[in-house]
Amino acid sequence: LDLLPVVIDQTTIRGVEVISTSVPFEGRALPIGLTSFEYGLMEGSQNDIEWGFFKTLIDRLPARLAAVFILDRGYSRVQLMRDFSSHAALFIIRGCRNVSVKVGRRWLSLGRLKYRLGKVVRYRNVLLRRHDSELVDIIVYRERGFKEPWFLVVPPGCEGILTTEKVVELYRERMQIEVKFRDFKTHLGVRGLKLEVRKGERLLRLLVGLALCYIILVVLGASKLGQEIRPLVEIPRRQARHGTKRTLSVLLIGCRLLSDPFLLPVKVIINALRYLLLLVKENKGCISILSSPPP
């Protein structure tokens, strides 16, 4: 099975809570699922809303892919870990430093676990929380410049799939979710949005439409045509930065293609949009474009 990092995060847009799931793709975070709710209008608990959304994703992801759900400290709940485990879903959840764990015969907080700067440490088969405990593995890692270590909680006995180094590598992917939401709020115009009634419902519809547009732009920028025009529109750096001399993301290359009808015929855009809408209609999800991009 191929590991597929599924990055989950929550943000507030104009008073509406939005949960987004994305997969890393060409240096961006490609949205594959969105849901929204308003605290004063929720039916049921927030935990129920979140798990219902996550379970829908688990059921619809391709069987050939082993999804690894990557979540931040706001989702560090024992029940959520049990829910993931009951559906054989892998997870990496960042723990809070004040949470109790039992290592050997001792109870101590995550923040007191020993580690060395720049070295990854794995504590296997430890109990998380004194009350309502759950057996997990804990990976502790801190780089120079980190404000505090990462305390990463993963299912016990998964080391054959989620090696210690792989856990740290995959958690880094979570940072790309912030890039995607920044794109939504700036490039796609969500920052100035004003909604008065049925805000959650209307915002979700808008975000789904924006997500489809975002996918088209990113896929276009990463396509063969995007690679061909990059030398024509980009001035590369003299020295590599973060391992690349590129100055334009695939998103901006896609925008450049879309803005010039001589570079990209309208027919190509229409066909790509029809393809994406068909995936959504057939409940296949836009995750399918990772293996089968729009024609």
Side-chain angles (χ1 to χ4, degrees):
L1 293 177
D2 297 324
L3 289 179
L4 176 70
V6 178
V7 184
I8 297 172
D9 203 8
Q10 181 176 330
T11 191
T12 304
I13 300 178
R14 299 302 178 190
V16 177
E17 300 301 314
V18 178
I19 304 176
S20 170
T21 55
S22 303
V23 294
F25 179 76
E26 294 292 335
R28 311 311 273 184
L30 203 65
I32 63 170
L34 289 162
T35 193
S36 67
F37 62 90
E38 297 176 72
Y39 282 118
L41 303 176
M42 289 190 305
E43 295 183 4
S45 69
Q46 180 176 339
N47 292 352
D48 292 338
I49 292 173
E50 292 170 352
W51 174 242
F53 178 53
F54 300 154
K55 185 176 184 305
T56 299
L57 286 169
I58 293 170
D59 293 340
R60 293 186 179 180
L61 286 171
R64 62 180 176 79
L65 298 174
V68 183
F69 290 86
I70 305 173
L71 307 97
D72 208 357
R73 285 172 285 201
Y75 293 99
S76 184
R77 304 192 304 269
V78 166
Q79 186 56 53
L80 182 58
M81 298 174 193
R82 288 173 180 162
D83 288 336
F84 278 129
S85 297
S86 67
H87 287 76
L90 297 170
F91 60 82
I92 301 172
I93 302 178
R94 186 172 175 180
C96 301
R97 62 180 298 111
N98 61 346
V99 172
S100 297
V101 290
K102 187 178 183 181
V103 181
R105 296 183 179 181
R106 295 180 57 207
W107 281 99
L108 65 164
S109 65
L110 281 177
R112 293 180 61 194
L113 292 177
K114 294 182 179 180
Y115 64 89
R116 292 175 59 189
L117 191 66
K119 301 292 184 180
V120 189
V121 180
R122 189 179 193 124
Y123 291 86
R124 299 169 180 83
N125 297 318
V126 303
L127 283 178
L128 183 70
R129 299 188 183 277
R130 284 179 178 269
H131 305 289
D132 196 25
S133 302
E134 182 73 4
L135 197 65
V136 297
D137 282 5
I138 305 287
I139 288 86
V140 186
Y141 178 64
R142 184 174 188 176
E143 282 184 9
R144 191 176 302 277
F146 280 17
K147 290 183 178 180
E148 61 179 16
W150 288 347
F151 303 104
L152 306 178
V153 183
V154 300
C158 69
E159 197 165 356
I161 302 174
L162 284 177
T163 64
T164 303
E165 291 73 19
K166 190 67 175 178
V167 170
V168 173
E169 176 188 336
L170 289 176
Y171 190 75
R172 292 186 191 278
E173 303 285 2
R174 183 195 147 336
M175 305 308 170
Q176 292 192 28
I177 195 76
E178 298 177 4
V179 174
K180 189 204 72 177
F181 268 118
R182 188 174 66 224
D183 291 336
F184 275 159
K185 294 179 180 179
T186 55
H187 298 297
L188 300 177
V190 174
R191 188 181 299 277
L193 182 67
K194 292 183 179 180
L195 298 172
E196 300 297 335
V197 296
R198 304 197 319 277
K199 292 191 293 184
E201 175 188 345
R202 296 172 68 191
L203 177 64
L204 185 59
R205 290 177 181 174
L206 177 61
L207 288 177
V208 169
L210 292 178
L212 291 175
C213 295
Y214 184 88
I215 291 169
I216 290 175
L217 291 172
V218 171
V219 172
L220 284 175
S223 68
K224 183 179 179 181
L225 182 57
Q227 295 172 12
E228 289 174 355
I229 75 152
R230 181 178 286 277
L232 304 177
V233 299
E234 181 181 54
I235 301 176
R237 296 185 180 92
R238 293 184 178 181
Q239 294 183 342
R241 183 178 174 185
H242 303 301
T244 180
K245 292 185 178 182
R246 291 181 175 181
T247 55
L248 297 178
S249 67
V250 289
L251 175 68
L252 293 180
I253 292 292
C255 290
R256 182 67 178 84
L257 277 169
L258 197 62
S259 65
D260 193 331
F262 294 101
L263 292 174
L264 189 67
V266 174
K267 184 178 179 180
V268 176
I269 298 297
I270 293 175
N271 288 340
L273 183 57
R274 284 175 175 169
Y275 177 79
L276 291 172
L277 291 175
L278 181 63
L279 292 179
V280 174
K281 181 180 178 181
E282 295 180 352
N283 286 327
K284 292 182 179 179
C286 293
I287 188 69
S288 304
I289 72 168
L290 294 179
S291 57
S292 181

